[in-house]
Amino acid sequence: MQQQKMVDHLFRHQYGKMVSILTRIFGLKHLETIEDAVQDTFVTALRTWQNGLPENPEAWLTAAAKNRALDLFRKLSAEQARIPKLDNGPSAIALNELFLESEIADSQLRMIFAACHPELKPQDQIAFALKTISGFSQKEIAASLLLKEETVKKRLVRARKNIIESQLQFEFPAGTDLVPRHNRVLEVLYLIFNEGFHSTQQAFLVREDLCAEAMRLCKMLLQNEHTRTPSTHALFALMCFNLARLNSKIDHNQQVVSLKHQDRSLWDNQLIQVGHFHMSLAVETNTLTAYHYEAAISAEHASAKTWQQTNWPNILHWYEQLNVVQPSPLIALNRAVIYVELKEFETAKVILESVSVSELEQREYLYHGLWAEYHHKKGDKQKALLAIDKALALVTNQAERVYLEGKKAKYTT
Amino acid sequence: MKDFMLVIIGDSYADLNLSPEQIQERMGKWFAWTEKMKAQGVYQGGNALTDTIKRVSGPDRVVTDRASTEVKELIGGFYLVKARDFDHAVEIAQDYPDYDLDGTIEIREIMHY
C-alpha cells in the first residue's frame, strides 16, 4: 500500500468546520454537547484508521459529522430539549445542504462572528475563537497565550455561559450591525496574529500556529462578499508582510534579532508579493484604517533590500497618518526610533520627552531602551548605561532581557 | 518464524483529552508503525477494539457490562506479527506510539499444535 499523508492540521481545521455545522443545526446553547461529540469523532478516527487512511479522510470525517448530527438529534430529543426536526422530509434535505462547501464556509463565518460577539468579554473572545473555530485544546490555548490552563478554562466557561444567558443567535449580523461587528472580528484576528508574531517565547511552532490561524480566518472573511472589505484586505496584507519576516526574528540560539540585524535573505518573497496584491485591493476606498497604515509601514520594511536602504521618510509619513486614526504612545516611540536611527537627535528628543510614560504600561522598558540607544549614539556612555539599567529593571520577557543585556555589553566596551 | 500477538493495553483515547492536533500527530505515528511492520514483512493483521465490554462468566453464564473506565488494563487492540523469537517481537514493539501515555504492549506467542 502506498503511504498516504494527511494534510497538516486537517483535524484541527475539520474540528472547527464540524462544530460550526452542528451549531448551525442545533444552536449555540448546545455547544458543549456538540464539541464533545466532535471530539468523539476524532477519537474514533484515531482508532479505526490505525491500519491505514481511508481514501478521503476529509470525506470520512464529514460523513462522521453527519452521523454525529443524527446521534445528537436522538440524544437531545431524548432529553426533550427543543431542537429542530431533521429526521425526515424537507428538513432532512436541508441537513445535506448544510454540508456543501459554501454552506460550511457560511457556518464557520457565523461562528467567527459569534466568538467576537460584544456579549463576550474581549479576553474571552480570543480563547473562545481558538477553541471553537480553530480546534485548539485548553492546554494549547494556554501555551500559546502564555496563560495558566485554569485561566483559559474559566474564560471558556464564562464565554459559554454568556452565550446561553444572552441567548445568542448563530447568525450573520445584518444591516447596521454588520460594520461594528465586522470591525471587532478584525480586531480579534489582529490580536491573535500579534500574540503569535510578537511573543518571543521559546516554543517557536506555537507562535507560527497562531499567526497561521489568524491568517486562515482572515482568508475566510475574504471569501465572503459581505466581509471582503478594504480593511480586511489591509489586515491580510499586514499579516503577509509581517509573517514573511518571522523566520528571521529569532536566530538559531533562540535569541531575538532586531530588524536591523535580520538576515533579509530569509524573508519570504512570495508572501510579500501576496501582501502587495492584497494591499492593492485594500486601497480601493477613501477610508483608510490603522491596518492600512500598519501594512504600509510593514511593506516599506519588507521592500527594503538592506536596513540602510529603508525609506525612512515614507515610514515616518505612515506613522504620522497612523497616529491620526489611532493615537498611541507606541507610535511616538516608533517615530523616535527612526529619528535616533537617522541621528536627528533633536527631533528624537522632543518626541521622547512628549511620550506619557505611564501609558506604555508593561512596555515602558522600550522607552528606556530607546533613551539608552539615543545616548549611546550620541557617545554618552554613562547616560546610556543608566538608561539601559532602567530598561532592564522593567523588562519581564526573557528573550527581550537577553537582547537588552547584549546592548548593555556593547555600550560597556 | 513464529507467530506473536501484540496486545495493546492502555487508557481509552476517549478519556485522555487529546486535542485534534495531538490526535492527528498520534495517528501519524500509528501509520508509521504499521507501515514499518508491513515493509519488514512481519505484519499479519490487527485491529482496534471499541470500548464496549461485555463479560460472560461462571457456570450460570452471567452477562455483565463493564465500563472501560472501570477496567484497570483496558485492551485497546492487537496486532498479529511474525517474529524470529521474543527478542525480535520486543524489537517490533519499540515503535508503539503510546508509551508516553503510559500504554503497554503485552507480547504473547501464538501456540501451534
Side-chain angles (χ1 to χ4, degrees):
Chain A
M1 192 190 83
Q2 209 192 342
Q3 171 108 41
Q4 286 166 296
K5 203 178 168 329
M6 246 185 295
V7 183
D8 278 350
H9 308 308
L10 172 70
F11 277 27
R12 187 178 265 179
H13 298 166
Q14 199 67 20
Y15 180 93
K17 277 189 194 175
M18 286 163 64
V19 169
S20 300
I21 300 166
L22 295 179
T23 305
R24 183 131 166 233
I25 299 170
F26 296 106
L28 277 164
K29 65 178 171 183
H30 294 300
L31 191 56
E32 206 169 347
T33 316
I34 290 167
E35 287 200 81
D36 287 346
V38 172
Q39 177 72 16
D40 268 6
T41 313
F42 289 114
V43 170
T44 308
L46 172 54
R47 315 194 57 182
T48 46
W49 295 4
Q50 270 170 20
N51 287 329
L53 268 181
E55 196 113 318
N56 181 344
E58 208 175 328
W60 188 97
L61 286 168
T62 307
K66 262 191 220 182
N67 290 334
R68 278 288 144 195
L70 296 169
D71 288 348
L72 269 184
F73 173 75
R74 282 182 213 114
K75 181 174 155 44
L76 293 173
S77 43
E79 287 168 8
Q80 303 201 309
R82 239 186 88 240
I83 51 150
K85 278 194 172 17
L86 45 78
D87 48 344
N88 53 32
S91 47
I93 300 165
L95 173 70
N96 276 326
E97 279 175 4
L98 286 177
F99 286 87
L100 297 174
E101 272 311 312
S102 58
E103 293 304 317
I104 293 174
D106 185 80
S107 298
Q108 286 193 281
L109 266 190
R110 288 174 195 228
M111 189 59 95
I112 296 175
F113 275 91
C116 305
H117 198 281
E119 287 288 345
L120 305 190
K121 285 194 163 43
Q123 73 262 43
D124 298 351
Q125 291 173 331
I126 295 180
F128 184 79
L130 287 176
K131 175 83 172 71
T132 317
I133 312 164
S134 307
F136 281 49
S137 69
Q138 259 168 215
K139 211 182 211 155
E140 285 163 347
I141 297 170
S144 53
L145 300 181
L146 297 177
L147 295 169
K148 287 201 186 99
E149 204 180 329
E150 196 53 35
T151 310
V152 172
K153 190 178 169 187
K154 271 189 202 142
R155 289 182 183 182
L156 292 173
V157 168
R158 185 168 53 198
R160 282 197 208 103
K161 202 170 141 237
N162 283 348
I163 283 173
I164 290 170
E165 277 173 2
S166 51
Q167 298 186 314
L168 230 67
Q169 296 303 302
F170 196 58
E171 282 168 353
F172 194 76
T176 50
D177 253 7
L178 179 61
V179 173
R181 295 277 310 275
H182 180 219
N183 284 343
R184 181 57 199 160
V185 168
L186 294 183
E187 261 172 64
V188 170
L189 299 190
Y190 176 79
L191 290 172
I192 292 176
F193 185 89
N194 279 352
E195 280 292 343
F197 188 69
H198 290 300
S199 100
T200 34
Q201 56 172 302
Q202 309 277 324
F204 195 69
L205 277 173
V206 178
R207 305 171 352 120
E208 260 191 354
D209 273 9
L210 276 187
C211 294
E213 262 313 294
M215 286 182 85
R216 189 175 71 95
L217 302 184
C218 197
K219 229 181 204 164
M220 281 186 205
L221 297 180
L222 288 174
Q223 279 156 0
N224 180 287
E225 53 174 333
H226 299 291
T227 48
R228 192 192 300 129
T229 63
S231 51
T232 313
H233 278 296
L235 177 60
F236 194 75
L238 170 63
M239 291 176 176
C240 291
F241 292 134
N242 282 349
L243 193 68
R245 297 186 272 123
L246 187 72
N247 282 336
S248 61
K249 269 189 73 182
I250 303 263
D251 68 14
H252 53 273
N253 295 322
Q254 300 285 323
Q255 305 287 334
V256 181
V257 185
S258 72
L259 184 56
K260 186 175 182 173
H261 298 110
Q262 282 173 18
D263 177 358
R264 292 179 186 228
S265 68
L266 294 175
W267 292 1
D268 185 338
N269 278 315
Q270 216 174 340
L271 205 50
I272 293 172
Q273 290 315 314
V274 176
H276 282 301
F277 170 72
H278 284 279
M279 206 53 192
S280 68
L281 298 170
V283 293
E284 288 177 356
T285 173
N286 293 320
T287 326
L288 297 184
T289 61
Y291 305 123
H292 285 87
Y293 297 120
E294 281 200 45
I297 292 162
S298 194
E300 293 288 355
H301 285 303
S303 313
K305 293 236 157 28
T306 63
W307 172 257
Q308 287 72 24
Q309 283 170 277
T310 310
N311 190 333
W312 296 115
N314 271 2
I315 292 182
L316 279 170
H317 171 73
W318 297 129
Y319 270 124
E320 273 148 29
Q321 299 298 312
L322 180 59
N323 204 36
V324 173
V325 293
Q326 200 179 69
S328 141
L330 270 180
I331 297 172
L333 221 52
N334 279 312
R335 288 174 58 223
V337 169
I338 296 171
Y339 285 115
V340 168
E341 185 56 38
L342 296 173
K343 295 204 167 75
E344 293 185 25
F345 296 115
E346 277 315 303
T347 321
K349 194 175 172 208
V350 170
I351 296 172
L352 270 174
E353 282 172 345
S354 73
V355 172
S356 75
V357 184
S358 59
E359 275 180 62
L360 289 166
E361 293 174 359
Q362 75 271 31
R363 290 181 180 163
E364 200 186 319
Y365 73 93
L366 290 171
Y367 173 82
H368 297 290
L370 185 51
W371 269 123
E373 193 65 15
Y374 170 92
H375 291 304
H376 169 70
K377 278 224 156 72
K378 284 188 83 177
D380 191 335
K381 185 172 158 183
Q382 214 162 9
K383 280 189 178 162
L385 285 173
L386 271 174
I388 201 88
D389 281 338
K390 271 191 195 166
L392 278 165
L394 289 164
V395 71
T396 50
N397 181 304
Q398 186 52 30
E400 291 286 325
R401 169 178 301 280
V402 172
Y403 176 72
L404 288 173
E405 272 163 358
K407 284 209 151 188
K408 186 178 173 179
K410 207 176 78 186
Y411 298 163
T412 320
T413 52
Chain B
M1 296 290 255
K2 295 170 178 171
D3 290 308
F4 290 88
M5 181 184 264
L6 308 186
V7 185
I8 299 157
I9 301 167
D11 287 332
S12 165
Y13 280 125
D15 301 327
L16 288 168
N17 268 326
L18 298 174
S19 71
E21 189 78 358
Q22 288 171 316
I23 290 179
Q24 184 170 348
E25 190 198 334
R26 204 150 286 275
M27 195 178 279
K29 289 182 183 164
W30 277 102
F31 288 153
W33 188 27
T34 317
E35 288 303 309
K36 189 169 165 186
M37 288 192 280
K38 284 178 181 168
Q40 291 172 341
V42 300
Y43 175 88
Q44 299 296 306
N47 273 111
L49 303 173
T50 71
D51 287 349
T52 311
I53 303 170
K54 266 194 194 295
R55 287 188 154 188
V56 186
S57 52
D60 294 336
R61 285 120 175 109
V62 176
V63 179
T64 41
D65 291 318
R66 298 285 297 274
S68 60
T69 42
E70 329 169 346
V71 179
K72 251 194 194 152
E73 297 204 317
L74 180 71
I75 299 174
F78 62 90
Y79 278 117
L80 294 169
V81 297
K82 287 250 181 240
R84 288 184 301 275
D85 48 28
F86 262 103
D87 285 348
H88 184 203
V90 167
E91 197 185 310
I92 293 169
Q94 295 303 310
D95 292 309
Y96 163 63
D98 291 348
Y99 291 116
D100 60 333
L101 299 175
D102 286 334
T104 301
I105 292 285
E106 185 169 306
I107 303 171
R108 306 288 292 268
E109 187 178 347
I110 291 170
M111 197 186 278
H112 289 294
Y113 297 96

